[in-house]
Amino acid sequence: MNDPLIGATLVAREDLAKRVQELGEEISHDYAGREIVLVGVLKGAVFFVADLMRHLEVHCSIDFMAVASYGSSTDSSGVVRILKDLDISIEGKDVLIIEDIVDSGLTLNYLLRTLRARNPASLEVCALLTKPDRRKVDLPIRYVGFEIPNEFAIGYGLDHEERYRNLPYVAALTDGS
Ligand code: IMP
Ligand code: MG
């Protein structure tokens, strides 16, 4: 795609594929003999969860939540509203939240508190990307794909104003100059 807003590659297509496979193997090993409920956070995690699930060798189901953070588009406020809740009950289940990116951590912090209150047997997080420099709350992220620098990332599900989710790799958004 020829677009001046698409900047340097942060994670190449083949590195995504390789890491997603590794995460799938690690999760399959850790959950051997158990069944996982994958909770994908819409919309950014859709590509990641679909690819990851194909590398899982344990029984698993998938459900989705959509949340919106109040505040500006580049800084989340930590006040989160549920736009779409889970269809299935997670009580007594082994739940794995699948996130595209953890930035300040405020959205994930809210999700963890909300889902923990529903008494799952276990609750863990798998995030494709994290920006450690931006973290405002310390969170237990069990599985991380890649740590990236403090840049706005697009592609492989990540958007800027709903665009660029279809890029098959992760790039930095530029200011267009
Ligand atoms: P947090 O609450 O600050 O951790 O932000 C979480 C949400 O903001 C993520 O689930 C993304 O949807 C969005 N977000 C944060 N950083 C980026 C980015 O670099 N690119 C695209 N979306 C982002
Ligand atoms: Mg998002």
Side-chain angles (χ1 to χ4, degrees):
M1 210 189 304
N2 190 7
D3 181 327
L5 294 191
I6 303 173
T9 300
L10 294 177
V11 188
R13 191 175 188 159
E14 24 330 330
D15 296 330
L16 282 171
K18 184 165 170 280
R19 186 73 186 118
V20 172
Q21 175 169 356
E22 283 172 3
L23 286 170
E25 288 166 2
E26 192 181 337
I27 292 166
S28 300
H29 174 264
D30 292 350
Y31 286 84
R34 293 193 281 160
E35 181 156 353
I36 314 174
V37 178
L38 300 169
V39 172
V41 183
L42 293 172
K43 303 169 193 173
V46 163
F47 295 63
F48 177 41
V49 72
D51 285 343
L52 180 70
M53 199 174 183
R54 278 175 274 200
H55 291 291
L56 295 184
E57 290 170 19
V58 292
H59 287 302
C60 54
S61 54
I62 188 169
D63 204 347
F64 293 96
M65 281 186 87
V67 294
S69 168
Y70 289 108
S72 76
S73 59
T74 50
D75 273 300
S76 72
S77 59
V79 182
V80 176
R81 192 162 49 107
I82 295 179
L83 301 178
K84 186 227 170 287
D85 206 336
L86 298 174
D87 297 329
I88 54 185
S89 163
I90 58 166
E91 190 173 347
K93 307 270 181 67
D94 289 309
V95 176
L96 185 57
I97 299 176
I98 312 291
E99 260 283 27
D100 52 356
I101 187 164
V102 183
D103 186 35
S104 68
L106 295 170
T107 305
L108 186 57
N109 192 38
Y110 173 85
L111 272 178
L112 280 167
R113 275 190 279 124
T114 303
L115 296 187
R116 204 172 280 132
R118 300 180 189 179
N119 298 315
S122 67
L123 183 62
E124 300 288 351
V125 178
C126 175
L128 178 68
L129 306 171
T130 81
K131 289 191 232 175
D133 291 350
R134 298 258 307 172
R135 198 61 37 82
K136 286 185 189 157
V137 275
D138 195 29
L139 292 170
I141 308 181
R142 176 86 174 264
Y143 307 98
V144 172
F146 298 91
E147 292 192 348
I148 62 165
N150 183 11
E151 294 197 63
F152 197 85
I154 51 173
Y156 196 65
L158 294 156
D159 74 302
H160 168 62
E161 296 176 353
E162 295 300 327
R163 279 185 174 175
Y164 309 112
R165 296 191 197 275
N166 55 319
L167 271 187
Y169 60 96
V170 178
L173 181 79
T174 74
D175 59 9
S177 59

